[in-house]
Amino acid sequence: MSTLESVIWHVLGYSAMPVIILGGFAGVAAISLWLLSLGKDKEV
């Protein structure tokens, strides 16, 4: 494997975990807000 390929794989590997964690956090937050909005009283 060339140096460029090694650098690319290292960057992908180290950037994957924060993306997965932040994406999961954002997904859970969005679903939670959606579920909370379903129970909100809409007669205003």
Side-chain angles (χ1 to χ4, degrees), residues 9-29:
W9 282 115
H10 277 91
V11 168
L12 287 176
Y14 286 122
S15 63
M17 193 183 300
V19 167
I20 290 169
I21 292 171
L22 293 175
F25 177 77
V28 169

Side-chain angles (χ1 to χ4, degrees), residues 26-40:
V28 169
I31 291 172
S32 299
L33 288 173
W34 176 68
L35 286 174
L36 286 171
S37 72
L38 288 180
K40 188 174 62 172

